[in-house]
Amino acid sequence: MHVAILTGGGDCPGLNAVIRAVTLALLQQGDRVTGIERGFLGLIERRARPLDHAAVAGILAEGGTILGTHNKADPFHYFGAAGADVSAQVMAYAGELGLDALVAIGGDGTMSIAHRIGQLGLPVVGVPKTIDNDIAHNDRSFGFDSAVAVVAEALDRLATTARSHGRVMIAETMGRYAGWIALEGGLAGGADVILLPEQPFSVDAVAARCRANEQGGGCTLICIAEGAAAAGGSLTVQQTIADSPDPIRLGGVGHWLQQQLQPRVASEVRTTLLGHVQRGGTPTPFDRVLATRFGVAAAQLVKEGRFGRMVALQGSECTSVPIADVAGRNRLVPPDHELWRVARAVGVSMGEA
Ligand code: F6P
């Protein structure tokens, strides 16, 4: 078989580990593998290169993606042709390459496009990618553990400086509309307050917690997700990227909270926006293993001819689900999730009034 691989949307630690695993698993069975450059843009602009043993050697622990990625390239609404549908052009290129299948590694946006490409006749298999851990029907996406490790380390570091100065320290995480990174990162870093998009917060409640810590002679560590908002308030949007399929870039709620808290507390309030530091760099061992499992599972789906499916982790089992069930959805922290109870049980404030 001749199988192409692409990585779409934002990058994420572990992408190279998936590329490597899919490639090695297929080469071992005598198949041919081609890498498409910069996600769906490579299918539009005809940019592809062979993937052999040499091409994937030494990339297991490398962050980013050797193929490059793009978060605006949608063949059904191509920014480079005033929003025109260039999918026929993409299918013609796939035909010229002689592709039997496409492995698309990406988030919900990439899955939506992959699903439509599959409907046009190019067999596709999906692999879920995102540090946000918000892909439907998938308990854990690779990259998430690496992002959580960065948040935990940042909180460890912020804690020592917060203690030294008796400050309130706010760390703002990524995660889009889901609170997974802030929840697990905040727990791992011993945050006093964790604020998630799934639970609108009360500024007064957060301030009360800071004052209580002040009275006890302590500092306060707050971990806030970029998608969190005060009750009755709205999302904090950093910028809007008009020609992007996902135009809203969140960011800045940490600084907003700092301004609200400062007049209500005695100690100095400072904010650190963790930003893309959470997305770059080498994947953790957990993510390397998960990415390798996903890559091998994707190659297996291709070999079994089980197309239109996305690899998924459910519990500890690597399985697959229809891409159609994933496209355009996301997975928030459910209200009955165990980690809410765990956080409250160890005295973390979740910002409730
Ligand atoms: O989806 C991954 C993610 O890192 C989000 O957590 C964040 O909101 C967004 O991408 C940032 O996107 P960009 O790199 O395009 O600013």
PDB file of all heavy atoms in Angstrom, residues 10-11 71 129-132 134 173-177 181 226 238-239 241 244 246 248-251 275-276 278-279, ligand 1:
ATOM      1  N   GLY A  10      -2.639  22.907  15.455  1.00  0.00           N
ATOM      2  CA  GLY A  10      -1.465  23.327  16.227  1.00  0.00           C
ATOM      3  C   GLY A  10      -0.543  22.149  16.494  1.00  0.00           C
ATOM      4  O   GLY A  10      -0.980  21.002  16.485  1.00  0.00           O
ATOM      5  N   ASP A  11       0.733  22.414  16.705  1.00  0.00           N
ATOM      6  CA  ASP A  11       1.656  21.306  16.989  1.00  0.00           C
ATOM      7  C   ASP A  11       1.458  20.838  18.425  1.00  0.00           C
ATOM      8  O   ASP A  11       0.672  21.425  19.179  1.00  0.00           O
ATOM      9  CB  ASP A  11       3.110  21.720  16.734  1.00  0.00           C
ATOM     10  CG  ASP A  11       3.595  22.658  17.806  1.00  0.00           C
ATOM     11  OD1 ASP A  11       2.854  23.591  18.152  1.00  0.00           O
ATOM     12  OD2 ASP A  11       4.697  22.455  18.340  1.00  0.00           O
ATOM     13  N   ASN A  71      -2.706  25.644  10.657  1.00  0.00           N
ATOM     14  CA  ASN A  71      -4.030  25.592  11.287  1.00  0.00           C
ATOM     15  C   ASN A  71      -5.098  26.381  10.535  1.00  0.00           C
ATOM     16  O   ASN A  71      -6.188  26.598  11.048  1.00  0.00           O
ATOM     17  CB  ASN A  71      -3.959  26.003  12.772  1.00  0.00           C
ATOM     18  CG  ASN A  71      -3.329  27.351  12.956  1.00  0.00           C
ATOM     19  OD1 ASN A  71      -3.141  28.077  11.978  1.00  0.00           O
ATOM     20  ND2 ASN A  71      -3.001  27.698  14.194  1.00  0.00           N
ATOM     21  N   LYS A 129      -4.826  14.366  18.345  1.00  0.00           N
ATOM     22  CA  LYS A 129      -3.695  15.143  18.864  1.00  0.00           C
ATOM     23  C   LYS A 129      -4.193  16.412  19.506  1.00  0.00           C
ATOM     24  O   LYS A 129      -5.016  17.100  18.912  1.00  0.00           O
ATOM     25  CB  LYS A 129      -2.769  15.492  17.683  1.00  0.00           C
ATOM     26  CG  LYS A 129      -1.813  16.588  17.920  1.00  0.00           C
ATOM     27  CD  LYS A 129      -2.082  17.949  17.259  1.00  0.00           C
ATOM     28  CE  LYS A 129      -3.425  18.561  17.201  1.00  0.00           C
ATOM     29  NZ  LYS A 129      -3.464  20.016  17.000  1.00  0.00           N
ATOM     30  N   THR A 130      -3.815  16.707  20.708  1.00  0.00           N
ATOM     31  CA  THR A 130      -3.983  18.041  21.263  1.00  0.00           C
ATOM     32  C   THR A 130      -3.483  18.054  22.706  1.00  0.00           C
ATOM     33  O   THR A 130      -3.724  17.109  23.457  1.00  0.00           O
ATOM     34  CB  THR A 130      -5.452  18.541  21.272  1.00  0.00           C
ATOM     35  OG1 THR A 130      -5.512  19.754  22.036  1.00  0.00           O
ATOM     36  CG2 THR A 130      -6.428  17.550  21.874  1.00  0.00           C
ATOM     37  N   ILE A 131      -2.817  19.141  23.070  1.00  0.00           N
ATOM     38  CA  ILE A 131      -2.441  19.276  24.476  1.00  0.00           C
ATOM     39  C   ILE A 131      -3.690  19.504  25.334  1.00  0.00           C
ATOM     40  O   ILE A 131      -3.659  19.292  26.528  1.00  0.00           O
ATOM     41  CB  ILE A 131      -1.433  20.433  24.720  1.00  0.00           C
ATOM     42  CG1 ILE A 131      -2.024  21.793  24.343  1.00  0.00           C
ATOM     43  CG2 ILE A 131      -0.117  20.170  24.019  1.00  0.00           C
ATOM     44  CD1 ILE A 131      -1.241  22.978  24.898  1.00  0.00           C
ATOM     45  N   ASP A 132      -4.798  19.939  24.703  1.00  0.00           N
ATOM     46  CA  ASP A 132      -6.000  20.312  25.464  1.00  0.00           C
ATOM     47  C   ASP A 132      -6.756  19.095  26.011  1.00  0.00           C
ATOM     48  O   ASP A 132      -7.598  19.248  26.890  1.00  0.00           O
ATOM     49  CB  ASP A 132      -6.964  21.123  24.588  1.00  0.00           C
ATOM     50  CG  ASP A 132      -6.314  22.362  24.004  1.00  0.00           C
ATOM     51  OD1 ASP A 132      -5.327  22.843  24.579  1.00  0.00           O
ATOM     52  OD2 ASP A 132      -6.801  22.843  22.959  1.00  0.00           O
ATOM     53  N   ASP A 134      -9.128  17.489  24.659  1.00  0.00           N
ATOM     54  CA  ASP A 134     -10.568  17.757  24.550  1.00  0.00           C
ATOM     55  C   ASP A 134     -11.220  17.067  23.357  1.00  0.00           C
ATOM     56  O   ASP A 134     -12.252  17.523  22.859  1.00  0.00           O
ATOM     57  CB  ASP A 134     -10.801  19.276  24.485  1.00  0.00           C
ATOM     58  CG  ASP A 134     -10.198  19.919  23.244  1.00  0.00           C
ATOM     59  OD1 ASP A 134      -9.429  19.245  22.516  1.00  0.00           O
ATOM     60  OD2 ASP A 134     -10.494  21.103  22.993  1.00  0.00           O
ATOM     61  N   THR A 173      -3.103  28.903  32.099  1.00  0.00           N
ATOM     62  CA  THR A 173      -2.776  27.786  31.209  1.00  0.00           C
ATOM     63  C   THR A 173      -3.538  27.894  29.891  1.00  0.00           C
ATOM     64  O   THR A 173      -4.496  28.648  29.766  1.00  0.00           O
ATOM     65  CB  THR A 173      -3.161  26.432  31.847  1.00  0.00           C
ATOM     66  OG1 THR A 173      -4.588  26.300  31.817  1.00  0.00           O
ATOM     67  CG2 THR A 173      -2.664  26.318  33.277  1.00  0.00           C
ATOM     68  N   MET A 174      -3.137  27.071  28.932  1.00  0.00           N
ATOM     69  CA  MET A 174      -3.915  26.905  27.689  1.00  0.00           C
ATOM     70  C   MET A 174      -5.047  25.906  27.955  1.00  0.00           C
ATOM     71  O   MET A 174      -5.317  25.565  29.102  1.00  0.00           O
ATOM     72  CB  MET A 174      -3.002  26.407  26.582  1.00  0.00           C
ATOM     73  CG  MET A 174      -2.157  27.494  25.943  1.00  0.00           C
ATOM     74  SD  MET A 174      -1.299  26.833  24.484  1.00  0.00           S
ATOM     75  CE  MET A 174      -0.811  28.368  23.696  1.00  0.00           C
ATOM     76  N   GLY A 175      -5.671  25.433  26.880  1.00  0.00           N
ATOM     77  CA  GLY A 175      -6.728  24.420  27.020  1.00  0.00           C
ATOM     78  C   GLY A 175      -7.998  24.734  26.248  1.00  0.00           C
ATOM     79  O   GLY A 175      -8.959  23.976  26.310  1.00  0.00           O
ATOM     80  N   ARG A 176      -8.033  25.913  25.617  1.00  0.00           N
ATOM     81  CA  ARG A 176      -9.245  26.360  24.916  1.00  0.00           C
ATOM     82  C   ARG A 176     -10.453  26.317  25.858  1.00  0.00           C
ATOM     83  O   ARG A 176     -10.391  26.856  26.946  1.00  0.00           O
ATOM     84  CB  ARG A 176      -9.495  25.521  23.662  1.00  0.00           C
ATOM     85  CG  ARG A 176      -8.620  25.912  22.497  1.00  0.00           C
ATOM     86  CD  ARG A 176      -9.210  25.512  21.186  1.00  0.00           C
ATOM     87  NE  ARG A 176      -9.548  24.095  21.131  1.00  0.00           N
ATOM     88  CZ  ARG A 176     -10.085  23.490  20.091  1.00  0.00           C
ATOM     89  NH1 ARG A 176     -10.359  24.196  19.007  1.00  0.00           N
ATOM     90  NH2 ARG A 176     -10.338  22.217  20.090  1.00  0.00           N
ATOM     91  N   TYR A 177     -11.518  25.653  25.440  1.00  0.00           N
ATOM     92  CA  TYR A 177     -12.758  25.716  26.229  1.00  0.00           C
ATOM     93  C   TYR A 177     -12.846  24.611  27.281  1.00  0.00           C
ATOM     94  O   TYR A 177     -13.856  24.490  27.965  1.00  0.00           O
ATOM     95  CB  TYR A 177     -13.963  25.671  25.278  1.00  0.00           C
ATOM     96  CG  TYR A 177     -13.842  26.720  24.204  1.00  0.00           C
ATOM     97  CD1 TYR A 177     -13.517  26.380  22.888  1.00  0.00           C
ATOM     98  CD2 TYR A 177     -13.974  28.073  24.520  1.00  0.00           C
ATOM     99  CE1 TYR A 177     -13.349  27.357  21.914  1.00  0.00           C
ATOM    100  CE2 TYR A 177     -13.809  29.051  23.560  1.00  0.00           C
ATOM    101  CZ  TYR A 177     -13.502  28.693  22.250  1.00  0.00           C
ATOM    102  OH  TYR A 177     -13.326  29.659  21.303  1.00  0.00           O
ATOM    103  N   ILE A 181      -6.101  20.857  31.306  1.00  0.00           N
ATOM    104  CA  ILE A 181      -4.697  21.201  31.608  1.00  0.00           C
ATOM    105  C   ILE A 181      -4.621  21.917  32.959  1.00  0.00           C
ATOM    106  O   ILE A 181      -3.776  21.598  33.804  1.00  0.00           O
ATOM    107  CB  ILE A 181      -4.067  22.088  30.507  1.00  0.00           C
ATOM    108  CG1 ILE A 181      -4.057  21.374  29.157  1.00  0.00           C
ATOM    109  CG2 ILE A 181      -2.653  22.509  30.897  1.00  0.00           C
ATOM    110  CD1 ILE A 181      -3.472  22.219  28.017  1.00  0.00           C
ATOM    111  N   GLU A 226      -7.236  29.381  30.363  1.00  0.00           N
ATOM    112  CA  GLU A 226      -7.472  30.540  29.485  1.00  0.00           C
ATOM    113  C   GLU A 226      -8.955  30.720  29.144  1.00  0.00           C
ATOM    114  O   GLU A 226      -9.398  31.826  28.853  1.00  0.00           O
ATOM    115  CB  GLU A 226      -6.656  30.416  28.195  1.00  0.00           C
ATOM    116  CG  GLU A 226      -7.027  29.201  27.340  1.00  0.00           C
ATOM    117  CD  GLU A 226      -6.201  29.052  26.074  1.00  0.00           C
ATOM    118  OE1 GLU A 226      -5.316  29.885  25.812  1.00  0.00           O
ATOM    119  OE2 GLU A 226      -6.446  28.080  25.333  1.00  0.00           O
ATOM    120  N   GLN A 238      -7.809  37.111  23.234  1.00  0.00           N
ATOM    121  CA  GLN A 238      -6.562  37.838  22.992  1.00  0.00           C
ATOM    122  C   GLN A 238      -6.571  38.451  21.601  1.00  0.00           C
ATOM    123  O   GLN A 238      -6.210  39.588  21.398  1.00  0.00           O
ATOM    124  CB  GLN A 238      -5.395  36.871  23.136  1.00  0.00           C
ATOM    125  CG  GLN A 238      -4.058  37.527  23.351  1.00  0.00           C
ATOM    126  CD  GLN A 238      -3.006  36.459  23.646  1.00  0.00           C
ATOM    127  OE1 GLN A 238      -2.781  35.575  22.841  1.00  0.00           O
ATOM    128  NE2 GLN A 238      -2.379  36.563  24.804  1.00  0.00           N
ATOM    129  N   GLN A 239      -6.975  37.627  20.610  1.00  0.00           N
ATOM    130  CA  GLN A 239      -7.098  38.130  19.243  1.00  0.00           C
ATOM    131  C   GLN A 239      -8.049  37.252  18.438  1.00  0.00           C
ATOM    132  O   GLN A 239      -8.339  36.122  18.814  1.00  0.00           O
ATOM    133  CB  GLN A 239      -5.735  38.207  18.547  1.00  0.00           C
ATOM    134  CG  GLN A 239      -4.965  36.921  18.506  1.00  0.00           C
ATOM    135  CD  GLN A 239      -3.666  37.063  17.708  1.00  0.00           C
ATOM    136  OE1 GLN A 239      -3.602  37.751  16.701  1.00  0.00           O
ATOM    137  NE2 GLN A 239      -2.628  36.400  18.158  1.00  0.00           N
ATOM    138  N   ILE A 241      -8.546  35.723  14.587  1.00  0.00           N
ATOM    139  CA  ILE A 241      -7.841  35.527  13.315  1.00  0.00           C
ATOM    140  C   ILE A 241      -8.892  35.191  12.265  1.00  0.00           C
ATOM    141  O   ILE A 241      -9.416  34.069  12.207  1.00  0.00           O
ATOM    142  CB  ILE A 241      -6.760  34.442  13.465  1.00  0.00           C
ATOM    143  CG1 ILE A 241      -5.770  34.915  14.547  1.00  0.00           C
ATOM    144  CG2 ILE A 241      -6.054  34.174  12.138  1.00  0.00           C
ATOM    145  CD1 ILE A 241      -4.684  33.994  14.910  1.00  0.00           C
ATOM    146  N   SER A 244      -9.139  31.996   9.933  1.00  0.00           N
ATOM    147  CA  SER A 244      -8.872  30.691  10.544  1.00  0.00           C
ATOM    148  C   SER A 244     -10.179  29.951  10.796  1.00  0.00           C
ATOM    149  O   SER A 244     -11.176  30.560  11.196  1.00  0.00           O
ATOM    150  CB  SER A 244      -8.126  30.898  11.861  1.00  0.00           C
ATOM    151  OG  SER A 244      -8.081  29.698  12.584  1.00  0.00           O
ATOM    152  N   ASP A 246     -10.707  28.250  13.247  1.00  0.00           N
ATOM    153  CA  ASP A 246     -10.891  28.378  14.703  1.00  0.00           C
ATOM    154  C   ASP A 246     -10.385  29.776  15.074  1.00  0.00           C
ATOM    155  O   ASP A 246      -9.290  29.944  15.578  1.00  0.00           O
ATOM    156  CB  ASP A 246     -10.043  27.271  15.385  1.00  0.00           C
ATOM    157  CG  ASP A 246     -10.248  27.242  16.887  1.00  0.00           C
ATOM    158  OD1 ASP A 246     -11.183  27.897  17.363  1.00  0.00           O
ATOM    159  OD2 ASP A 246      -9.463  26.559  17.571  1.00  0.00           O
ATOM    160  N   ILE A 248     -10.962  32.243  17.212  1.00  0.00           N
ATOM    161  CA  ILE A 248     -10.808  32.866  18.536  1.00  0.00           C
ATOM    162  C   ILE A 248      -9.523  32.387  19.200  1.00  0.00           C
ATOM    163  O   ILE A 248      -9.330  31.204  19.419  1.00  0.00           O
ATOM    164  CB  ILE A 248     -11.998  32.498  19.453  1.00  0.00           C
ATOM    165  CG1 ILE A 248     -13.342  32.828  18.804  1.00  0.00           C
ATOM    166  CG2 ILE A 248     -11.857  33.149  20.827  1.00  0.00           C
ATOM    167  CD1 ILE A 248     -13.645  34.292  18.725  1.00  0.00           C
ATOM    168  N   ARG A 249      -8.623  33.321  19.549  1.00  0.00           N
ATOM    169  CA  ARG A 249      -7.441  32.979  20.353  1.00  0.00           C
ATOM    170  C   ARG A 249      -7.683  33.513  21.759  1.00  0.00           C
ATOM    171  O   ARG A 249      -7.758  34.724  21.965  1.00  0.00           O
ATOM    172  CB  ARG A 249      -6.172  33.616  19.762  1.00  0.00           C
ATOM    173  CG  ARG A 249      -5.757  33.055  18.435  1.00  0.00           C
ATOM    174  CD  ARG A 249      -5.307  31.600  18.539  1.00  0.00           C
ATOM    175  NE  ARG A 249      -4.960  31.083  17.224  1.00  0.00           N
ATOM    176  CZ  ARG A 249      -5.837  30.561  16.356  1.00  0.00           C
ATOM    177  NH1 ARG A 249      -7.109  30.493  16.670  1.00  0.00           N
ATOM    178  NH2 ARG A 249      -5.438  30.106  15.193  1.00  0.00           N
ATOM    179  N   LEU A 250      -7.836  32.592  22.693  1.00  0.00           N
ATOM    180  CA  LEU A 250      -8.082  32.985  24.076  1.00  0.00           C
ATOM    181  C   LEU A 250      -6.787  33.438  24.730  1.00  0.00           C
ATOM    182  O   LEU A 250      -5.696  33.106  24.261  1.00  0.00           O
ATOM    183  CB  LEU A 250      -8.672  31.801  24.842  1.00  0.00           C
ATOM    184  CG  LEU A 250     -10.026  31.302  24.332  1.00  0.00           C
ATOM    185  CD1 LEU A 250     -10.424  30.014  25.040  1.00  0.00           C
ATOM    186  CD2 LEU A 250     -11.103  32.369  24.518  1.00  0.00           C
ATOM    187  N   GLY A 251      -6.897  34.120  25.854  1.00  0.00           N
ATOM    188  CA  GLY A 251      -5.700  34.525  26.590  1.00  0.00           C
ATOM    189  C   GLY A 251      -5.907  35.848  27.280  1.00  0.00           C
ATOM    190  O   GLY A 251      -6.545  36.748  26.717  1.00  0.00           O
ATOM    191  N   GLY A 275       1.396  30.153  28.160  1.00  0.00           N
ATOM    192  CA  GLY A 275       1.399  30.200  26.699  1.00  0.00           C
ATOM    193  C   GLY A 275       1.988  28.983  26.004  1.00  0.00           C
ATOM    194  O   GLY A 275       1.831  27.839  26.447  1.00  0.00           O
ATOM    195  N   HIS A 276       2.699  29.242  24.916  1.00  0.00           N
ATOM    196  CA  HIS A 276       3.179  28.160  24.049  1.00  0.00           C
ATOM    197  C   HIS A 276       4.305  27.322  24.658  1.00  0.00           C
ATOM    198  O   HIS A 276       4.653  26.287  24.089  1.00  0.00           O
ATOM    199  CB  HIS A 276       3.609  28.735  22.696  1.00  0.00           C
ATOM    200  CG  HIS A 276       2.441  29.226  21.888  1.00  0.00           C
ATOM    201  ND1 HIS A 276       1.942  30.492  22.031  1.00  0.00           N
ATOM    202  CD2 HIS A 276       1.660  28.598  20.989  1.00  0.00           C
ATOM    203  CE1 HIS A 276       0.899  30.639  21.230  1.00  0.00           C
ATOM    204  NE2 HIS A 276       0.702  29.508  20.577  1.00  0.00           N
ATOM    205  N   GLN A 278       3.864  25.565  27.007  1.00  0.00           N
ATOM    206  CA  GLN A 278       3.176  24.298  27.306  1.00  0.00           C
ATOM    207  C   GLN A 278       3.122  23.361  26.110  1.00  0.00           C
ATOM    208  O   GLN A 278       2.854  22.179  26.243  1.00  0.00           O
ATOM    209  CB  GLN A 278       1.730  24.579  27.742  1.00  0.00           C
ATOM    210  CG  GLN A 278       1.615  25.353  29.023  1.00  0.00           C
ATOM    211  CD  GLN A 278       0.274  26.064  29.134  1.00  0.00           C
ATOM    212  OE1 GLN A 278      -0.659  25.547  29.719  1.00  0.00           O
ATOM    213  NE2 GLN A 278       0.168  27.256  28.571  1.00  0.00           N
ATOM    214  N   ARG A 279       3.300  23.908  24.923  1.00  0.00           N
ATOM    215  CA  ARG A 279       3.104  23.116  23.699  1.00  0.00           C
ATOM    216  C   ARG A 279       4.406  22.676  23.056  1.00  0.00           C
ATOM    217  O   ARG A 279       4.431  21.745  22.249  1.00  0.00           O
ATOM    218  CB  ARG A 279       2.300  23.954  22.710  1.00  0.00           C
ATOM    219  CG  ARG A 279       1.193  23.174  22.082  1.00  0.00           C
ATOM    220  CD  ARG A 279       0.235  24.071  21.374  1.00  0.00           C
ATOM    221  NE  ARG A 279       0.767  24.600  20.142  1.00  0.00           N
ATOM    222  CZ  ARG A 279       0.127  25.479  19.383  1.00  0.00           C
ATOM    223  NH1 ARG A 279      -1.061  25.924  19.737  1.00  0.00           N
ATOM    224  NH2 ARG A 279       0.655  25.921  18.283  1.00  0.00           N
TER     225      ARG A 279
HETATM  226  O1  F6P B   1      -5.457  23.640  20.881  1.00  0.00           O
HETATM  227  C1  F6P B   1      -4.155  23.795  21.362  1.00  0.00           C
HETATM  228  C2  F6P B   1      -3.893  25.211  21.756  1.00  0.00           C
HETATM  229  O2  F6P B   1      -2.573  25.314  22.237  1.00  0.00           O
HETATM  230  C3  F6P B   1      -4.891  25.792  22.760  1.00  0.00           C
HETATM  231  O3  F6P B   1      -4.662  25.381  24.084  1.00  0.00           O
HETATM  232  C4  F6P B   1      -4.717  27.259  22.531  1.00  0.00           C
HETATM  233  O4  F6P B   1      -5.872  27.983  22.880  1.00  0.00           O
HETATM  234  C5  F6P B   1      -4.478  27.343  21.049  1.00  0.00           C
HETATM  235  O5  F6P B   1      -4.004  26.079  20.634  1.00  0.00           O
HETATM  236  C6  F6P B   1      -3.470  28.395  20.641  1.00  0.00           C
HETATM  237  O6  F6P B   1      -3.387  28.394  19.263  1.00  0.00           O
HETATM  238  P1  F6P B   1      -2.270  29.218  18.473  1.00  0.00           P
HETATM  239  O7  F6P B   1      -0.971  28.498  18.627  1.00  0.00           O
HETATM  240  O8  F6P B   1      -2.751  29.207  17.074  1.00  0.00           O
HETATM  241  O9  F6P B   1      -2.238  30.555  19.097  1.00  0.00           O
END
